Each structure stands twice: as structure tokens, then as C-alpha cells.
Amino acid sequence: MIDIACARGLSALPFSLFLLLQATGSVYGADLKSYAPQVNVDCPDSLLRVFSASQQSLSGGENDFVSSRQSVVNNAWKDWLGDASQIGYNSDLATSVVNDSKVGIAVSGGSFRASLYGASVLNALDARNQSSKDAGTGGLLQVSSYISALSGGSWMVGSLYSNNFPEIQALVTGSNELSGWMLDKDLFFPDGISLHSDENDAFYDNIKASIEAKQATNTFTSLTDPWARALSYHFLNGTTPDNFYAADSAHGAGQLWSEIVNVPAYSNHEAPFPVIVVNSRPLGKAYENYLALDAPVYEFSPLEFASYDPSLSASINTKYVGSRLSNGSPVNGSSCMQGLDETGFVFGTSSSLFNSIVSQGIGSVTNADWFKRITDLFSDVSDARDTEPDDVANWPNPFYQVKGDGFVDTDRDWLQLIDGGSNGENIPLNPMFVKSRGLDVIVAVDSSANTDDAWPNGESIIYSQNRTSNILKDTHRAFPPAPKTTAEFISTGTNMRPTFLGCDAVSPSDYPLVIYLPNSPPLTGGDPVTNTDTFKLEYSANHVQMFLDQSYRNTIGGFTPGSNNADANFGKCLQCAAVDRARLRADIERSSFCNSCFDRYCYDPNDPPSSNEVVNRNLQNTKPDDVSNSASGGDSDGAMVTSVGWGSVVLAVGITVVSGGLL
Ligand SMILES: *[C@@H]1O[C@H](CO)[C@@H](O)[C@H](O)[C@H]1NC(C)=O
Ligand SMILES: *[C@@H]1O[C@H](CO)[C@@H](O)[C@H](O)[C@H]1NC(C)=O
Ligand SMILES: *[C@@H]1O[C@H](CO)[C@@H](O)[C@H](O)[C@H]1NC(C)=O
Ligand SMILES: *[C@@H]1O[C@H](CO)[C@@H](O)[C@H](O)[C@H]1NC(C)=O
Ligand SMILES: *[C@@H]1O[C@H](CO)[C@@H](O)[C@H](O)[C@H]1NC(C)=O
């Protein structure tokens, strides 16, 4: 049996055999130890790409992908828009005007809530679902060139690509081929409430085996590693209900983010270019609440680990991320690393919230059984040589002394990467605003829990406006006009229904149009089941389906001012928004149909909408079925805490913020 973990570093393995292994069963021969990276492998000729804010560029591979994807997208526009007469345009809109227009979808964090909400929204935008196509919303996913995600959103996106981009219902709840997410198995006590049942113990032993294998390569580990491994059981495709506790299955270990390029949906350009966002805790920057906005933001695509921030503007080949470089060059010809980009570790890093949990003393979490179990497990495997902190994800710094003092971590051996929403930007918009990517339209999918009832209040958009205009003005597009405070988000009702931002651009280059889709109560006035607790780590099958259905109906339903009826035209209005930059570029007048859509759905700063239009919404969460045997707390309302990643955890009174200190 060939161990693929070795095979990856073994250049002698014929490429065709490697492909065969890929095709026949993911990582054939992979086991729990495949979680370990390979160290001291040969370095490729080109590892690092260093550019600058004024001379920004994308990788050749990304340019190639997006341009090949564009011909798929151009056909998808025709499928979605037909002859465009339903939205009041001539047929050349769909067959030429809109060609090469670029759309992106950004999926927020918020733990399992965000995975489920993001999945429902994608389903509603997916032309493969006939009800979505009939509603007119299904098709937007097919015309998208990019999809970005962070934290809970990245679990969903990681899952999509690892499973070859299946339809959403099958991805989440399973099919003949897929096991689904199995969210009825608690993330940390999959066997139920008995904390030390044989199965729960086996689960921890198996996680431990992976971490020990990684440590044996002298690669520093942290709490993010057991976290990443536990998530992989649900979101990667190596685990089934039958093998859940088996020690002879890899449970996703050895599945790499850089190998997504071999997944057919990617290599055939049938899916958008995926990007996962992470934040970093710069040297000497302890923080409470949110990270400062000047802390570098990074992204992982299957091709590059990069930051387009002006202070860095550099990237490394994802396949070799972890390689130790100095001044941009390998320390020696065989000092490179491969396999640190485990898909589980990438989305685990994007949701690595331990620094906030610990520094804010989130008692409902630090006192929870799962947290104790994971810290115990970690101290059990912890290695004395392991000198990096436990509360972040530790990645060797490929950008060591590449950029000089402008880059805050230039002199650091390790980057401390953390939850992608740690700076308050819980929707991963940074990659979407990168100038060289030239996006026209961006869908912002928001399931942050900002309000007492765990709904978004636009806070993420407020932070994005700030970062875009103060930190990123040389490297990123301008932000469209949007409410300037969370109070204004609420008073205009922008957080309660779909809203288009930036409808009145004079030139397509002013700013992209943003379609904001907040998780919000059922438009029918029904009882909500989608504003769940961020730390709810188990969902019954019944709740999962209710969640999917409810947010799906909201997404295809738009809203009708002063009413609890769905808007039968919402799908067409979404089409109007999606083509509007291309229309402007071609200097075609907006159709009267689209004008009426824009009257309803646009945020116009000079004539803002009002929350009075959104009537009879029931804000309070309904628990479809209290999961009383849940070991991680199930549906408990757990004391909610100050805003931190995972989609911002709600602020409640009476929480003592314990001062810092690493684990
Ligand atoms: C996991 O998904 C990959 C990508 O589609 C596929 O090649 C592989 O066969 C799948 N593995 C399993 C165990 O289903
Ligand atoms: C637009 O794309 C479609 C689909 O690929 C193609 O048939 C058509 O020729 C393109 N139109 C122009 C003007 O490039
Ligand atoms: C479309 O999605 C809805 C909502 O999840 C689901 O009920 C329905 O079965 C899906 N339709 C198809 C054809 O997959
Ligand atoms: C932007 O964020 C910084 C903190 O990073 C804050 O000091 C400043 O007040 C914010 N500006 C606006 C306009 O909100
Ligand atoms: C190359 O660098 C690696 C990592 O620092 C080291 O372990 C190895 O011994 C070096 N090899 C040579 C030939 O110097």
C-alpha cells in the first residue's frame, strides 16, 4: 500500500499513478497520520510572488482559471437570463453585454449557523435546483467567478469543494454517495452525553494520533489542530456514520486545499474560484474585543496563500506554504514543506477563535465540557519544544524579511493566524474588493449574530467600509454607499431584508454593486429557527432541515413592503442587480422593470428606506426540538458574550471580562 503522505513528497511516483490514486478514492492509503506535513522536501523554482500596492497582480494560475471559467460563465448568463425580456432588456444583454462581467459571493462566519445559512443561500442561487431556477434566483451561483468564505462559512465552502461541488441538499443531509454533515453528532462528544464512553474516547485517541504525527515533524501545533480535526469529520468526505470512530480511516487527514485543483468541478471550471480568509495577530498585539484594522488579512486559495494588503502584497504557493524562507528564498534547496495546507487546518485556522475565548474569559465556553476536553487533550500531546502560543494557529512565516518594516510581522518566524472575522469584518469582502480582480457585483451573505436575538445588524459592513477606506485605499476598490452605523442599518431595515448597495454608480469603476443578504426572520412572520447560538455544536436532523428550508424560502422570497408576502419578482430583481454594472458599461438605460426593483431593494443614502416597511417579523428564536442529550450544550441559550469572530457573539450584560493570558 502506498502512503500518499509519502507519495506527495516522492517525486519518483509517476504522475499518472498519482492521478489514478486521486481519482479512485481521494487519498488512497491515507491514514490519521497523513495529517503531518512533509518537511525538508525539495523546493520548487518559484515559491513566492512579491508585488506592490501600486503594481498589484494576480497569480498566472488564477488569471488562467478565471478566464477559462469566464466562457462557462458566459453561457450560464444565457441560461439564467434567457432573452432578458423578462427584465425589460434586449436579447443582446445576455449574449454579449453581460459577457465577462464578474460576480463574487462572500459567505460570513458564525459557526454552524453560518455553514447552514450560507448553504441555503447558495442553494437558492443554484440553477441546478429546479425550484431556485423557477424562482429566478437560481443561476447567480453559476455566473459567479469567485466565492470567499471565513470561519463557519469556510466549513461549508471547504466541504463543497472537497465533495466536488454537489447540490446543497445532498451536501448537507447526505445522499447515496455522500454522508452529509452529520450535525446530529456533537462536534466534541459525537457519541452523546457520556463524556468518556468508549466511542468518545476513541474519537479523542484518533484526533491525538493526527496531532502527534504533526508534532513529530517539529511543526508547532496548537488548540487549532484538534479543532481542525474534529471539524474534518463533518465537512470533509472521509467519514461516514459507520466509520466515525474507526482508527483505520483517515477522516479527511491528508486532504489538501492545494489539491482542490484536481477536483473535477474545479479543473473543469464549473465552480467559482474559492478563497478562505484568515486574520493574524501581529507581534505584540494582544487585544480585547476586535483586532485593530491594520492587522494583516490573509487569504488561502488553492493556488496561493496571500495578502493583498498594501503593507504586504505578496503570496506563496499554497502547496508549499509552511516552507521556511528568508528574504524570499528557501534557506536551502531542500528546506521546503508540503502538506501543511490540510483543508481541515485551513478552515480550522479561519475559525480559530481560542485567543478571543481565552482573552475575554468567555465563561460559557471555557467552563464547557468540550473546551476542557480539548484543552486536556492538547496538554496531553503538547510538546515541550513547542514554544509558540496555543491559542492561535501557528504557520511558519513565508514572508520573513520580504517587505521590511512596513509589514508588521517581517521579523517573525511564525505567523499567528486566527479567525477570519477577528477584526470585525465577519463577511470576507477583502478578497472581493481587490482591484486586480475587478468584480462588478458581490453578494454579501451575512449570518453574524450581533443583536440580542442573534441576528446581524450590519456591523461587519461598517468595519469593511472603515478598512476599505482607511487601510486598503491603494489596493482595493471603494466601498459603495451603505448605512454608516449599526443604528442606521436597523432604522432603515437593511438588516432585515435583501438590500442592494451602490445602485447609483455613475461609472462602473466607482465601486461594485453589493447584494446584501442578511440572515433574518421568516418574511411570513413565522417562528425563526435560523438565529441559533454561535456555540451550538449539534443540530438534530429535524432542525437542520427546518433551518435549510426557512432560510431558503427567505432567500428566494425577497420582501414586499408592509406585507408578509414573498415578492414573486425577487428573482428577476436579482437578475437586474447582477447585470447592472455591465448595463452601465454598455451605456444602456436601466429598464423600467429594473427601476421598480431598485426602488424597492436599493439603499439610497439620499432617500433611505425605513424599517417600517418590514412588518410583523418575529425575532425570537424558536427551538424546534430541544436537544436535551447534547453534551456541548445543544440548544442552551448559553450566556452570550462580547463580539468575537464566529460571526460575533451577542453582547449580554453581566459577563466579567477576565484579562488576557494565553492558554
Ligand atoms: C472525496 O471527494 C473527492 C473529490 O471529489 C473524491 O475524489 C474522493 O473520491 C472522495 N472521497 C470519498 C472517500 O468519497
Ligand atoms: C458572449 O458569450 C457567449 C457564450 O460563450 C458567446 O456565444 C458569444 O459569442 C459572446 N458574445 C460576444 C460578443 O463575445
Ligand atoms: C431545492 O432546495 C429546496 C430547499 O432546500 C429543497 O427542498 C428541494 O428539494 C431542492 N430541490 C431539488 C430539486 O433539489
Ligand atoms: C475605524 O476604525 C478605527 C479603529 O481601527 C477607529 O478608531 C475609527 O474610529 C473607525 N472609523 C470610523 C469612521 O468608524
Ligand atoms: C536545509 O534546511 C533544513 C531546514 O532548516 C535543515 O533541516 C537541513 O539540514 C538543511 N539541509 C542542508 C543540506 O543544509
Side-chain angles (χ1 to χ4, degrees), residues 40 331-332 334-335:
N40 298 337
V331 176
N332 66 45
S334 58
S335 67

Side-chain angles (χ1 to χ4, degrees), residues 123-124 128-132 167-169 545 548-549 552:
N123 193 13
R128 295 174 299 178
N129 182 310
Q130 190 59 43
S131 348
S132 310
E167 290 184 44
I168 296 294
Q169 185 70 47
Q545 195 57 52
L548 290 177
D549 291 345
Y552 178 84

Side-chain angles (χ1 to χ4, degrees), residues 292-294 462 466 470:
L293 286 176
D294 60 2
I462 307 293
N466 188 335
N470 292 316

Side-chain angles (χ1 to χ4, degrees), residues 507-535:
S507 150
S509 63
D510 289 351
Y511 36 73
L513 188 150
V514 171
I515 299 169
Y516 180 63
L517 299 178
N519 181 24
S520 48
L523 65 92
T524 55
D527 293 334
V529 300
T530 67
N531 52 333
T532 42
D533 190 314
T534 298
F535 291 101

Side-chain angles (χ1 to χ4, degrees), residues 70-76 78 94-97 99-100:
Q70 211 64 49
S71 51
V72 177
V73 161
N74 289 346
N75 283 313
K78 269 191 298 192
T95 53
S96 73
V97 170
N99 280 21
D100 301 334

